[in-house]
Amino acid sequence: QVQLVESGGGLVQPGGSLRLSCAASGSIVSAYAMGWYRQAPGKQRELVANIIISRGSTFYADSVKGRFTISRDNAKNTVYLQMNSLKPEDTAVYYCNAQTHYGSDNWGQGTQVTVSS
């Protein structure tokens, strides 16, 4: 099992930017895919972006497409989520996820993102 630690959350005004980081305890190249999910109070947890580690293929939810960018740095064993043009609707706890080649999941503890004026 791999340990994932998210960081970079905080309070930002609408239209602002944040970069979230997900640091893994082991090499991220051992994972098939990594992604970012978010969950607001009273809402279901939803996938916002993911990346296939080996080839860098990405997926984005329609609600964040054009505003968010997921990337990986294999040397630092870290996956990032660059969030631009933030909206109040983006307020949530953001969780990092790693999926193995066998389909099992590992989760981080989450980091709070609050978008408010």
Side-chain angles (χ1 to χ4, degrees):
Q1 60 192 36
V2 62
Q3 181 175 324
L4 305 174
V5 179
E6 302 98 330
S7 62
L11 175 64
V12 65
Q13 294 185 358
S17 298
L18 285 173
R19 188 177 75 161
L20 305 184
S21 298
C22 176
S25 61
S27 176
I28 64 171
V29 300
S30 65
Y32 172 70
M34 297 185 69
W36 289 94
Y37 292 71
R38 67 186 182 189
Q39 187 168 24
K43 302 287 183 65
Q44 297 259 59
R45 185 174 297 188
E46 63 174 342
L47 174 67
V48 298
N50 70 359
I51 184 167
I52 307 300
I53 296 297
S54 62
R55 56 183 180 266
S57 305
T58 58
F59 168 84
Y60 299 94
D62 287 342
S63 59
V64 307
K65 193 172 297 182
R67 301 188 296 121
F68 291 11
T69 303
I70 188 170
S71 61
R72 83 265 200 248
D73 187 332
N74 292 350
K76 295 182 178 180
N77 294 317
T78 300
V79 171
Y80 303 96
L81 185 67
Q82 178 67 47
M83 304 185 294
N84 299 325
S85 302
L86 282 162
K87 305 174 180 179
E89 309 93 86
D90 297 318
T91 296
V93 177
Y94 284 71
Y95 297 92
C96 183
N97 169 268
Q99 182 175 320
T100 71
H101 291 277
Y102 301 97
S104 62
D105 290 331
N106 294 286
W107 294 90
Q109 82 291 339
T111 185
Q112 176 72 48
V113 172
T114 302
V115 185
S116 176
S117 58

